[in-house]
Amino acid sequence: MSANREAVVETSTLWTREKGGSDPNITSSVAPTSTKPESKKDLQRTPFGDIALAASIAFTAFVLPNATDRSSLSVRNYFKPSHNFRCERNCTSSSFDDEISKQTLHSLERELETLFNNAKNEIIEGNHESNFANELHSLLVQFGTPILTLLGDLVSNPSIDVEAASQALRVIGRTQDELTVVPRFRLLIKALNSPSPIIRDSTALALFDLNEPGAIPYLQEAAAREEYVSLRNDYLQIAEELEAA
Amino acid sequence: MALFLRKLERKLWLDPQYSKNLGGLAADAIKNFKTFGNSLSVFSVEDDPNLITRVLAAIIGGCDRICEAEYALFDSSILDDLGIKYEQEDGKTADAEVNKQHVNLGDLTADQINNLAEKIQAIGHLNRILHNKIEESLREGIQRGTIQYDRLNKKLATSLMI
């Protein structure tokens, strides 16, 4: 099941990058196209729907065996132990894996909450490394997708400290890790819909840091609906720069 | 009449729409005017995008990493109107030419800072230069020898070597 989930992510990536279009799993509204989660566990972790699942099965069955160099690089490396959350714990049983994951996710969740709470007491300046940013970066590099799932929930929480959320988004954008580009991209695209202009501003900058041309149509859409004139111009400037890159 | 540049932490805090939604100048906007010894650093610039980028790159050169630079441009007449004293004082960036453009606004009161923020919001110009342009300018400066590499922030200098 986890293999399918990862494959869905990579299907989106290939579609976006090779067709030059938008990720079909992300709409311009907040909610993705998820329709029917397979289980409560899936609902909590990754809201992919039946269409995406079917695409993933088709992808796994027909595309992977004939994968090109780039797809084999991205898809197969995704399953490498060093980047597989469960495999890092040397587990083989899927049920045991899930149990470990739940426990670890819970402790990660608490760690993140503490980190965000402590960030309120830290003076965070844009161009200087904060402890918050450093620690978050370490967690992101160490845990990848699971921590991104938790971060996605945190930054969309209306009670979260806006400055800490903004910093988190910037860390997500500038982290150098090809293997988490897709989940980071998805998280940032969703954050463009944040009710906070500060978060939307940071998200657009994070998308520029990510340097993913797939963000261009989303930035243009965001500009079209943006109420702040300055932010509208900023999104378009970033879209232009990504286009030129 | 001189044109002054102030590097901002976040220009959105000074955005008139942002203030309008709050019902007044955002308290966070004052974070853009952090004083040291009741003094505030600005740089005298002309309306020249290359010079503005160079000044901002020199400022960012003192930071841990290359990042976008948000800034406000405002006319020196604002300072005269608010009774703010200012004088040229060499800056401390890695770019000697830019340092000569540094101007110190001195003996500031909290009221003056607040008024300056309001004036900049009303008639100043807010803008941003993305990190790729800052990096380009830093690299050019190092190549031309206008930026002293060993005066850059160590972390940032290391990242430029990669």
Side-chain angles (χ1 to χ4, degrees):
Chain A
M1 184 56 231
S2 67
N4 280 339
R5 275 203 298 271
E6 308 299 327
V8 172
V9 169
E10 289 304 330
T11 308
S12 316
T13 262
L14 294 171
W15 197 91
T16 303
R17 292 185 176 184
E18 291 179 2
K19 302 287 182 189
S22 307
D23 183 339
N25 287 317
I26 305 171
T27 63
S28 57
S29 60
V30 176
T33 54
S34 171
T35 52
K36 187 179 167 189
E38 288 182 82
S39 66
K40 192 179 173 190
K41 181 187 73 185
D42 287 334
L43 181 69
Q44 288 168 340
R45 287 191 195 164
T46 45
F48 292 130
D50 288 340
I51 298 169
L53 181 64
S56 82
I57 293 165
F59 178 78
T60 310
F62 302 113
V63 180
L64 268 183
N66 303 308
T68 62
D69 286 344
R70 187 166 63 163
S71 63
S72 63
L73 185 77
S74 58
V75 174
R76 289 173 187 160
N77 282 355
Y78 218 84
F79 303 122
K80 274 172 66 177
S82 61
H83 289 281
N84 188 313
F85 185 60
R86 282 169 290 278
C87 285
E88 278 182 334
R89 270 86 189 144
N90 297 320
C91 301
T92 49
S93 156
S94 60
S95 59
F96 185 57
D97 289 352
D98 289 346
E99 202 53 44
I100 292 287
S101 295
K102 279 178 191 170
Q103 286 172 5
T104 313
L105 276 175
H106 186 60
S107 85
L108 276 178
E109 197 170 8
R110 279 183 302 182
E111 197 170 338
L112 272 183
E113 277 171 15
T114 309
L115 197 58
F116 272 77
N117 284 332
N118 291 344
K120 289 177 188 169
N121 305 320
E122 190 179 1
I123 297 168
I124 297 173
E125 288 182 287
N127 300 337
H128 290 281
E129 299 291 357
S130 64
N131 288 334
F132 172 75
N134 286 336
E135 286 181 34
L136 190 63
H137 179 261
S138 300
L139 285 174
L140 197 50
V141 169
Q142 191 179 353
F143 295 104
T145 307
I147 203 92
L148 283 166
T149 308
L150 297 172
L151 275 172
D153 292 342
L154 265 178
V155 296
S156 60
N157 183 339
S159 63
I160 199 75
D161 180 79
V162 167
E163 286 306 319
S166 296
Q167 283 291 312
L169 289 162
R170 297 305 301 273
V171 171
I172 289 167
R174 67 170 177 262
T175 295
Q176 301 288 319
D177 182 6
E178 273 299 309
L179 300 172
T180 56
V181 165
V182 176
R184 286 188 288 132
F185 176 77
R186 295 173 67 89
L187 189 158
L188 293 174
I189 293 300
K190 281 179 81 174
L192 270 180
N193 295 295
S194 168
S196 161
I198 300 286
I199 289 183
R200 294 198 298 276
D201 184 32
S202 296
T203 303
L205 285 166
L207 281 167
F208 187 60
D209 292 337
L210 191 66
N211 196 23
E212 171 55 62
I216 294 170
Y218 294 102
L219 286 163
Q220 288 167 339
E221 277 177 30
R225 64 174 182 269
E226 178 57 59
E227 62 168 309
Y228 284 79
V229 177
S230 64
L231 284 185
R232 205 179 299 158
N233 294 333
D234 290 342
Y235 297 162
L236 294 175
Q237 181 198 19
I238 290 170
E240 276 172 27
E241 289 289 337
L242 284 173
E243 187 89 61
Chain B
M1 208 85 70
L3 191 63
F4 286 146
L5 175 150
R6 167 72 191 171
K7 183 189 168 299
L8 304 175
E9 198 66 35
R10 190 189 285 279
K11 70 181 171 68
L12 188 58
W13 288 327
L14 279 167
D15 189 290
Q17 277 181 287
Y18 190 67
S19 291
K20 196 180 167 191
N21 289 346
L22 283 173
L25 182 71
D28 281 345
I30 303 301
K31 290 200 272 188
N32 283 320
F33 302 93
K34 197 182 285 177
T35 55
F36 291 94
N38 302 317
S39 294
L40 190 73
S41 278
V42 298
F43 287 81
S44 173
V45 292
E46 290 153 29
D47 195 5
D48 171 5
N50 288 334
L51 178 60
I52 289 170
T53 306
R54 182 173 169 181
V55 168
L56 289 166
I59 298 170
I60 297 284
C63 301
D64 287 342
R65 64 184 146 75
I66 297 165
C67 197
E68 73 284 348
E70 305 199 336
Y71 63 97
L73 288 178
F74 60 97
D75 204 282
S76 61
S77 63
I78 287 181
L79 301 178
D80 300 329
D81 292 347
L82 296 173
I84 293 175
K85 290 185 271 185
Y86 59 94
E87 59 180 357
Q88 194 280 332
E89 187 183 298
D90 280 0
K92 292 171 182 169
T93 75
D95 188 325
E97 287 299 312
V98 166
N99 288 341
K100 288 178 187 158
Q101 307 292 115
H102 181 258
V103 172
N104 208 35
L105 315 187
D107 296 337
L108 288 164
T109 65
D111 284 344
Q112 282 176 322
I113 290 290
N114 188 62
N115 294 338
L116 177 63
E118 284 182 336
K119 280 275 191 184
I120 288 175
Q121 182 179 61
I123 55 176
H125 180 67
L126 306 176
N127 212 337
R128 166 196 286 166
I129 292 180
L130 292 168
H131 70 75
N132 57 339
K133 298 279 189 283
I134 297 290
E135 181 171 346
E136 206 175 282
S137 180
L138 280 169
R139 288 188 187 279
E140 276 175 17
I142 293 166
Q143 269 190 338
R144 281 199 312 262
T146 54
I147 286 183
Q148 291 174 265
Y149 184 80
D150 57 355
R151 291 195 66 186
L152 289 171
N153 177 293
K154 295 277 182 288
K155 275 189 189 174
L156 180 139
T158 308
S159 75
L160 279 171
M161 286 177 73
I162 297 168

